[in-house]
Every structure is written in structure tokens, then in C-alpha cells.
Amino acid sequence: MVFRRVPRPLSRISASFMKKLIIAIDGPSGVGKSTLSKVLSHELGYLNLDTGAMYRAVALAASRQGIAAGDYAALQRLCDEIVIGFARKDGAEHVFLNGEDVSAVIRSPEISLLTAAVAACPEVRQAMVARQRELGAGGGVVLEGRDIGTVVFPQADVKFFLRASAEVRGQRRFLELRAKGVEVDLARTIAEVEARDAADTSRTTSPLRQADDAVVIDTTELDIPQVLERMFAVVADHRRRVERSQPE
Ligand code: DC
């Protein structure tokens, strides 16, 4: 996806915000969640919580300790032991596992694959959801994931659910990888996106599902600034409704 500047008037929203909101962004892989939540949180002066990175950190820890994705008891113990943290470095959010910056290593194809399996473990989900609630409870946070609006914060102030066709998401991923010099095949990349969708939507615990009260944005034919414009309009609209409902 291309990135242009955020339209001007939108960046003024944060200054006039009284209540610090909880904003949920859910949707499948490759739909633009990471870029959008980064810009949205930055513009609002909010914390950006990439919940996928937390599951990835668990998968990395499991792989380093030789724990199999099917060993739920060991994964539960692991979640009790490890410390996952976030910190802003050079303007970007970094993920830490027991104090080590693992932001890059959790993105490898091996860890991505293992994460999908580890994220299906109910004990892991329970531990991560508890931590996400702790981190987001005070508001002033944009959480991106798969189950934020349905499970983690069903009472979130604003919920977005992003969609895009598997072809377009596969194509975006293909171009991203090619730009990094990785040899990839387009048809295979699209098939991988479809396989990830199937795994995300069919797991028993917290499958990817749109919350009934989520604002759905289809990003198939939109670029990042266009989606952001819609998101900021929804946030501004929420604020106006809250202000109108306050007693004079
Ligand atoms: O968003 P991502 O690609 O970094 O997510 C990595 C994996 O974690 C992916 O398989 C989906 C899963 N995940 C999840 O099950 N629940 C979340 N809230 C976030 C991610």
C-alpha cells in the first residue's frame, strides 16, 4: 500500500479529546491493519498495541525452548514465565521478549507459521487477552488484532473491521516481499493468504469474526490515506455523539 500524508484537519482531533478512547481494529492478514493503527495511534497520541506481535513473541519463546505448538500445558507455563513489553524506539513501536528487542526476528516465515498454531491454544489466548486488557484498560489505545472488538474489548469505544479480497491482499504481500528482494510466486502468495484466513476463521477459540457493532471498511480499492480519512471521520463522529450526550 502507498502512504501519503494524513489529511490536515484530522490531525487536530487528538487535541480536543477529553476521554481517552479504546479503539479496536480487527481483520485478516494483509488488510493494512498495522500501517493504519500506527498512523491512527500516532495522530491521536495513543499507544499502539499490536496484539499479533504478542502471539508472535510467545511462538518465538516456544521455538527457542523446543516447546511444540500442541503442548498446551508447556505453553501455559511459558506464558506465566515470559515478559512481553512494548516501547517506542526511533518513532516506531518495538516488541520485547524478556527485555530483548525481538521486533525483527518475530516476522520470519518460520515464526509466522508457528504463531498461527500457538495462537490456537486457549491457554495462550487467555494469558494474552489478560495482558491486553491490562495494557488497554486506561484507554488512549489503538489495539489491532483478530478478536479485539469481540473478545478483548467488546466495550471498545470505536471498532473497525477491515476487509479486502484475498487476491489484493496476496498481491500487496507479493509486492512487499519482492521489494525486499525475496523470490516469490504470486499465485502461491495468494494461496498462503487464503490458508491463513481459513486458519484464523476456523479455530475454536476466538476465531476471526466481525463484531456486530464494528464499522466495516473494505480496503480492496482504497489506499491508506483514503482508509484513514474514513477512520478519522468515524472517530470524530463518535466524539460528537459523546459530546452531544453530555449534560450541559
Ligand atoms: O497480525 P499478525 O499477522 O502479526 O498475527 C500473527 C498471528 O497471530 C496470526 O496467525 C493471527 C494471530 N493473532 C490472533 O490469533 N489474535 C490476535 N488478536 C492477533 C493475532
Side-chain angles (χ1 to χ4, degrees):
M1 276 187 173
V2 224
F3 176 67
R4 277 196 262 114
R5 270 186 59 77
V6 178
R8 264 319 286 154
L10 303 175
S11 57
R12 275 190 241 120
I13 292 175
S14 56
S16 53
F17 253 108
M18 300 303 285
K19 185 188 171 221
K20 292 226 159 206
L21 306 177
I22 297 178
I23 301 180
I25 306 182
D26 289 305
S29 328
V31 81
K33 292 191 303 292
S34 295
T35 312
L36 292 160
S37 60
K38 264 183 210 127
V39 182
L40 193 66
S41 58
H42 181 75
E43 286 289 308
L44 294 171
Y46 280 13
L47 173 74
N48 175 28
L49 201 58
D50 173 358
T51 63
M54 297 172 74
Y55 290 98
R56 286 173 181 272
V58 175
L60 177 67
S63 136
R64 284 176 173 177
Q65 296 197 19
I67 298 171
D71 189 347
Y72 288 1
L75 285 176
Q76 183 170 23
R77 279 195 300 277
L78 181 71
C79 288
D80 291 339
E81 285 163 21
I82 58 174
V83 180
I84 300 172
F86 290 91
R88 205 169 261 273
K89 233 169 84 179
D90 309 324
E93 214 80 53
H94 286 242
V95 193
F96 293 81
L97 172 64
N98 299 327
E100 174 194 347
D101 188 345
V102 294
S103 312
V105 65
I106 57 169
R107 307 275 159 202
S108 75
E110 297 75 32
I111 296 301
S112 299
L113 205 64
L114 184 61
T115 306
V118 163
C121 166
E123 288 81 357
V124 170
R125 299 206 74 84
Q126 206 176 9
M128 291 306 109
V129 168
R131 180 88 179 109
Q132 288 154 19
R133 286 182 180 150
E134 242 171 61
L135 292 166
V141 64
V142 178
L143 298 105
E144 61 141 309
R146 306 291 192 286
D147 58 346
I148 310 301
T150 50
V151 176
V152 184
F153 283 113
Q155 79 285 19
D157 299 286
V158 180
K159 297 180 190 177
F160 293 104
F161 192 88
L162 305 178
R163 294 183 179 286
S165 71
E167 287 73 23
V168 163
R169 287 182 289 126
Q171 186 132 26
R172 287 174 188 162
R173 179 92 190 114
F174 171 79
L175 293 174
E176 246 172 58
L177 290 170
R178 274 255 302 258
K180 285 185 191 159
V182 184
E183 271 294 315
V184 269
D185 174 73
L186 178 59
R188 187 156 165 214
T189 314
I190 295 173
E192 280 168 6
V193 165
E194 285 168 339
R196 281 232 263 164
D197 286 358
D200 276 354
T201 50
S202 67
R203 68 165 174 253
T204 333
T205 317
S206 307
L208 171 66
R209 191 172 62 74
Q210 178 198 319
D212 293 337
D213 52 351
V215 174
V216 181
I217 304 178
D218 192 320
T219 75
T220 306
E221 305 208 345
L222 300 176
D223 64 11
I224 291 283
Q226 288 170 320
V227 182
L228 276 169
E229 202 162 341
R230 291 192 190 188
M231 290 177 121
F232 277 113
V234 171
V235 174
D237 187 52
H238 172 85
R239 184 190 57 147
R240 272 192 295 275
R241 274 188 286 113
V242 170
E243 275 174 1
R244 269 203 303 271
S245 66
Q246 308 265 311
E248 293 287 309

